[in-house]
Amino acid sequence: MAYHGYQGGAQTNYPPPGYQYGNTAPGGFTRGAPSMAHIDPAIQGWFYAVDTDRSGAITANELQKALINGDWSPFDLDTVKLLMNLFDVDHSGAIGINEFAGLWKYIQDWQQVFRQHDRDRSGAIGINEFAAALRGFDLDVPPGLLTIVQWKYASTSGPGRRPELTFDRFMRASVTIRQLSETFQRLDTDRDGWIQINYDEFMKTVLSLP
């Protein structure tokens, strides 16, 4: 990934026996935004380059135009919206320079994880490599769920190629699985892999996720 123009009461039967909850956020990543005095001048420059309308804040559309994957494909808009939801702490619909600095660090941390599994530096990884990355976060996702992840997030870049996850989709899938796993863990108070929850409670819980 680089900035464009720069290099750089129902029950569920999941999880099954042996399922491991995520004990930590992937990579220990944080959404904390540094103060202006501690923002790298290069990041300030990138912010002003992305802020094309000079409003002092970056919208989802501006951010999408600025983000590309390692294979030079643009970031998926759904991933951009996820990042905006995570870092738009004042819910203004845009992110300021402090929020942008936190988002930049967040993406860089994720990029380090992705590179560990993108061994051929193609800019995309297969579902098995994705599963290995999740296990590094103590998330042992069952094969059936990985099939759903592959169907939902992976894309085929060429004839005869297996579906793979570009960096942006890898990040979005990882964040989503972590959020859902942690939400289930909070509801599964006796840690038996089952929850008892009515429809209203379930919908409130899911809709409250970023």
Side-chain angles (χ1 to χ4, degrees), residues 110 112-137 139 141 146 149-150 154 161-166 170-171 173-174 177:
W110 272 113
Q112 290 182 24
V113 176
F114 183 82
R115 284 173 174 164
Q116 292 174 13
H117 300 278
D118 181 21
R119 301 189 188 284
D120 62 358
R121 296 297 183 263
S122 66
I125 63 171
I127 199 66
N128 291 332
E129 288 78 16
F130 176 68
L134 291 179
R135 286 193 294 271
F137 308 142
L139 288 168
V141 178
L146 286 174
V149 170
Q150 186 175 35
R161 293 288 301 273
R162 292 183 178 182
E164 294 182 311
L165 294 166
T166 51
F170 163 81
M171 182 167 53
S174 298
I177 290 173

Side-chain angles (χ1 to χ4, degrees), residues 47 56-59 63 84 87-88 92-97 99-100 103:
F47 174 85
I58 293 174
T59 64
L63 186 61
M84 292 292 292
F87 285 89
D88 180 16
S92 64
I95 56 174
I97 189 167
E99 295 164 323
F100 177 80
L103 181 150

